[in-house]
Amino acid sequence: MPLARIDLVRGKSAEYRHTIGEVIYEAMLSTLNVPKDDRFQIITEHGDSDFVADPTYLGIHRTRDTVIIQVTLNLGRTLEVKKAFYKAVADGLHARLGLRREDVFINLVEVPKENWSFGNGEAQYA
């Protein structure tokens, strides 16, 4: 059920962007217990002037390579599961792309199951 929105500064290759999506999907499968093939992602590149990620907020030093990931998903996952997801994504992006863990910003938005329609004008999980 998750919908991932992935935002980054323009200029990365299609392969780089695809790998980001792969890492997030794999982390969802391994930590969030999402069903196989439940992959919905929107990857958007932005010009320098349209992408702001404070370079020092909370003492974390970010670069222009920062990736902002927002995942909308069903309510109900524990704090431990969420932390495991954050770690899996940051570690996976670091391992596969060399992306600094400090440059991985993740936001989860939890919604009730009835807030989804996967097509046909139906609420499949209501």
Side-chain angles (χ1 to χ4, degrees):
M1 291 142 260
L3 169 63
R5 294 183 176 272
I6 303 155
D7 293 274
L8 63 158
V9 172
R10 185 174 294 120
K12 300 297 184 185
S13 70
E15 181 180 337
Y16 186 94
R17 295 188 311 271
H18 177 77
T19 300
I20 291 173
E22 285 289 317
V23 167
I24 293 167
Y25 176 63
E26 290 166 8
M28 287 179 181
L29 289 172
S30 66
T31 64
L32 298 180
N33 197 31
V34 302
K36 186 178 181 312
D37 299 326
D38 188 355
R39 184 174 179 177
F40 297 90
Q41 299 177 333
I42 301 164
I43 301 173
T44 308
E45 294 183 290
H46 303 274
D48 284 337
S49 63
D50 298 323
F51 187 88
V52 178
D54 189 280
T56 60
Y57 184 68
L58 294 178
I60 300 168
H61 298 282
R62 292 170 199 83
T63 70
R64 294 303 296 156
D65 286 333
T66 295
V67 175
I68 297 177
I69 301 161
Q70 184 175 61
V71 180
T72 303
L73 69 166
N74 286 339
L75 287 164
R77 288 170 175 90
T78 66
L79 177 58
E80 292 77 23
V81 167
K82 293 173 189 178
K83 287 180 176 182
F85 174 69
Y86 302 150
K87 182 169 176 25
V89 171
D91 288 351
L93 292 174
H94 179 73
R96 298 206 21 213
L97 295 173
L99 185 62
R100 298 169 65 248
R101 289 172 181 87
E102 297 90 339
D103 288 331
V104 179
F105 179 105
I106 303 171
N107 170 242
L108 300 181
V109 178
E110 295 182 298
V111 299
K113 284 186 173 186
E114 66 267 16
N115 284 19
W116 298 96
S117 174
F118 289 88
N120 298 322
E122 299 172 8
Q124 284 83 1
Y125 293 115

